[in-house]
Amino acid sequence: MLDRAAFEKENQDTRKQLAALEKDVKQLRDWVSSNERALNGMNESLRRITEDGITKARADLSVREGDLQRLRGVIAKNDKILSRIGDIERRRKDIATLEEEQERLIVLLERNRAELRQFEQEYEEMTRPAAPPAALAPCEVVLPNNLRIPLDPGKGTYMVGWYDAAAGAAPDIDLHPVGGSAQGVSRQHAIIRLAEGQWTVTDLGSTNGTFLNDAPMAPNSTVALRDRTRIRLGNVIIFFRYITQTTRL
């Protein structure tokens, strides 16, 4: 059964979500830009607070931009499906007409039936539920003091930095006990995130940068993590590993 109404309704709802999200992203970008321009005129205390706010806003912006991409993908896929439904409906109507003149138009009828089978096969492939994702191997982050922090796929996102009691901001992976605040780690330095079955790390525009196996990351960029990746944040080194693939670092 061709459920045109369901796909049209989903596209309508998704476009509303997309419009609202695009508005939020624009406002967030404008806020970041205006506050970045105002930094030079601030005293040190207000500047630090504003920089922290900009870092958080950038992280939020990254998430929202990912949501924008996902919503646009949904609309694009549904548009293709609706186009194919239109092809199928038109071809079925053609077949109904041709069957009334079957004796005279048998050759044309068979050709259209073949096209219909192709369209229906493409429709089924487009709408077939995705296969369940492969089981994700358990992973962990190892700190310099050998503290091992398992990465939970259900949680999916881990902020890496150090706990600032004054600001009251506590990251998921706190590098303060291993000297993070004194060794160039930003309060909100990077994010380790699970995306499409792959753990990644995103630098949040940190002051002293993020390095993967001594290769510098571009500010605010995202890179996939591999087993036994050496991650340097400022001057603190942590390791990402697959628990089932390595026995020691």
Side-chain angles (χ1 to χ4, degrees):
M1 179 179 180
L2 306 180
D3 199 350
R4 173 187 286 275
F7 288 113
E8 290 176 339
K9 178 64 166 56
E10 183 179 11
N11 257 10
Q12 182 181 8
D13 294 342
T14 304
R15 284 192 171 93
K16 290 180 181 178
Q17 296 175 32
L18 183 63
L21 191 56
E22 286 175 337
K23 181 178 179 181
D24 291 344
V25 167
K26 182 181 184 303
Q27 291 175 343
L28 197 54
R29 286 174 178 165
D30 291 344
W31 185 91
V32 170
S33 297
S34 63
N35 279 275
E36 285 177 335
R37 290 194 297 269
L39 284 175
N40 291 334
M42 297 179 181
N43 60 47
E44 183 177 353
S45 176
L46 182 57
R47 181 186 179 89
R48 187 183 307 114
I49 293 172
T50 303
E51 286 176 339
D52 287 346
I54 290 173
T55 298
K56 294 177 182 177
R58 284 174 176 165
D60 188 22
L61 186 59
S62 177
V63 173
R64 290 172 184 264
E65 287 174 339
D67 290 339
L68 277 177
Q69 184 176 2
R70 178 182 60 80
L71 292 176
R72 287 168 180 155
V74 170
I75 291 173
K77 177 182 178 181
N78 285 348
D79 283 342
K80 290 181 179 179
I81 291 173
L82 288 169
S83 175
R84 188 56 72 231
I85 288 175
D87 291 334
I88 294 171
E89 291 173 339
R90 287 189 296 274
R91 194 60 67 219
R92 286 180 174 174
K93 183 177 180 180
D94 291 341
I95 289 173
T97 300
L98 291 170
E99 285 179 337
E100 296 176 0
E101 306 173 10
Q102 186 171 7
E103 293 298 326
R104 185 171 61 87
L105 301 173
I106 187 66
V107 175
L108 181 60
L109 177 62
E110 290 305 317
R111 185 173 68 215
N112 278 271
R113 280 178 174 159
E115 290 179 356
L116 173 62
R117 286 192 295 271
Q118 178 183 348
F119 291 151
E120 288 179 333
Q121 181 179 358
E122 291 174 1
Y123 172 80
E124 292 299 327
E125 291 175 355
M126 290 177 182
T127 58
R128 185 179 298 121
L136 183 67
C139 302
E140 66 182 6
V141 169
V142 184
L143 304 190
N145 59 2
N146 207 36
L147 175 64
R148 299 169 185 269
I149 302 175
L151 299 179
D152 179 8
K155 175 176 174 61
T157 300
Y158 290 81
M159 175 70 70
V160 185
W162 58 272
Y163 176 62
D164 184 358
D172 301 296
I173 300 177
D174 184 10
L175 300 183
H176 182 72
V178 293
S181 58
Q183 296 192 55
V185 179
S186 298
R187 291 174 179 84
Q188 294 187 342
H189 196 109
I191 287 179
I192 295 177
R193 177 184 292 119
L194 181 64
E196 298 181 356
Q198 171 70 60
W199 287 101
T200 64
V201 61
T202 301
D203 177 81
L204 297 177
S206 58
T207 302
N208 295 302
T210 302
F211 299 77
L212 301 185
N213 297 327
D214 294 325
M217 290 180 61
N220 301 301
S221 65
T222 299
V223 177
L225 291 170
R226 300 185 181 276
D227 186 31
R228 291 189 266 188
T229 298
R230 182 173 177 263
I231 307 171
R232 176 160 64 86
L233 305 100
N235 289 316
V236 174
I237 297 173
I238 64 176
F239 290 87
F240 169 86
R241 67 187 290 261
Y242 286 97
I243 298 174
T244 57
Q245 294 185 14
T246 59
T247 56
R248 63 179 182 177
L249 296 175

